[in-house]
Amino acid sequence: MGLLEGKNVIITGASRGIGTGIAQIFADHGANIAFTYSSSEAPAFALEKELAAKNVKAKAYKSNAASFTESEALVADVLKDFGGIDVLINNAGITKDNLLMRMAEADFDKVIEINLKSVFNMTKAVQRTMLKQRKGSIINMSSVVGVKGNAGQSNYAASKAGMIGFTKSIALELGSRNIRCNAIAPGFIETEMTAKLDEKVVQGWRDGIPLKRGGSTEDIANACLFFASDLSAYVTGQVLNVDGGMLT
């Protein structure tokens, strides 16, 4: 029996990268998966089919987590289709990198809206269900950039740091109802996006990491599995750096 047998999970932004990796491992552990996508329809439906083949319920929803109205509608649809929500993973995110002197206001606003406001939207939308159940786990996908900052990513760093503050506050607000809220701060994770970068640049990043490798989507998914399952029943308000020692 898997660690998440029969649990209903929402994952935002799961049609590629880390979100896909989380969905796959959670399904392997018996979770039913409701996940969102914004524009990648073909990969989303391919993932839905792949997950369903693991004998769990899986459904893709086109939804913009940056919209409060769409987030509420999504949660209502998931409750109707799945009957409950045990775990929320706020994974949707974008980057629009630039030095501050060249950064457009619209690019700052968009990153904050999609990366940070989406966490407010989705958490508020699932809160009532989890309060009624008197249980739940909320996992927010932050970043080591939100912990230490990074030149050229002031908007992204602000959004991911804001996520950490939000996580700790919600852990305090909802802990008495047995609802846990934790954050994961990935370091350099190798995905299809990083595969397009110059190999010498990527190797330079690997060399600067104590474990001498980039992380995998599986590394992040396993950390999520810990926070979603009863293995972390007494853990809330924490930020777990999954970074190979990058911030050590």
Side-chain angles (χ1 to χ4, degrees):
M1 182 178 286
L3 287 170
L4 301 176
E5 200 71 35
K7 289 191 181 293
N8 299 315
V9 180
I10 295 180
I11 308 170
T12 64
S15 62
R16 59 187 174 88
I18 288 172
T20 294
I22 296 168
Q24 290 166 333
I25 283 186
F26 274 36
D28 287 340
H29 281 270
N32 301 312
I33 310 292
F35 68 93
T36 70
Y37 68 95
S38 57
S39 58
S40 305
E41 190 169 277
F45 289 138
L47 178 61
E48 180 183 273
K49 187 175 180 181
E50 177 190 341
L51 298 176
K54 298 175 186 281
N55 296 317
V56 300
K57 187 165 186 176
K59 188 168 181 179
Y61 299 82
K62 185 171 185 177
S63 181
N64 176 15
S67 163
F68 184 70
T69 303
E70 288 191 38
S71 297
E72 284 197 313
L74 168 70
V75 168
D77 287 342
V78 172
L79 286 171
K80 183 173 66 177
D81 295 337
F82 287 75
I85 300 166
D86 301 293
V87 180
L88 166 65
I89 302 177
N90 286 308
N91 173 70
I94 62 166
T95 57
K96 286 187 176 292
D97 299 347
N98 221 327
L99 294 174
L100 181 61
M101 66 178 66
R102 299 194 188 106
M103 186 177 292
E105 180 185 6
D107 287 346
F108 185 89
D109 289 348
K110 193 71 175 173
V111 169
I112 295 296
E113 181 185 43
I114 291 176
N115 295 8
L116 181 56
K117 187 168 185 288
S118 64
V119 178
F120 163 81
N121 293 340
M122 287 300 301
T123 303
K124 189 168 177 66
V126 303
Q127 176 182 242
R128 182 178 298 175
T129 297
M130 290 185 173
L131 286 170
K132 196 178 295 184
Q133 296 170 169
R134 298 188 72 88
K135 65 175 182 177
S137 176
I138 299 164
I139 303 164
N140 296 325
M141 198 61 60
S142 183
S143 168
V144 293
V145 173
V147 179
K148 70 179 287 289
N150 195 33
Q153 288 193 303
S154 59
N155 50 1
Y156 185 75
S159 71
K160 295 300 186 177
M163 205 180 284
I164 290 172
F166 184 87
T167 296
K168 291 179 177 291
S169 298
I170 297 307
L172 292 171
E173 286 187 26
L174 303 183
S176 64
R177 297 295 186 95
N178 196 33
I179 300 167
R180 299 180 294 109
C181 188
N182 292 287
I184 291 171
F188 175 59
I189 307 302
E190 301 198 32
T191 65
E192 60 266 31
M193 290 177 69
T194 60
K196 298 173 184 175
L197 301 173
D198 183 273
E199 177 59 25
K200 288 182 180 178
V201 172
V202 172
Q203 189 56 50
W205 288 339
R206 292 187 191 116
D207 291 341
I209 297 168
L211 289 186
K212 301 303 178 188
R213 68 173 179 89
S216 66
T217 57
E218 186 176 357
D219 291 321
I220 305 303
N222 284 335
C224 284
L225 182 63
F226 170 69
F227 280 140
S229 74
D230 291 339
L231 291 175
S232 60
Y234 198 53
V235 181
T236 192
Q238 302 305 303
V239 182
L240 176 61
N241 295 342
V242 184
D243 64 358
M246 185 188 294
L247 297 190
T248 302

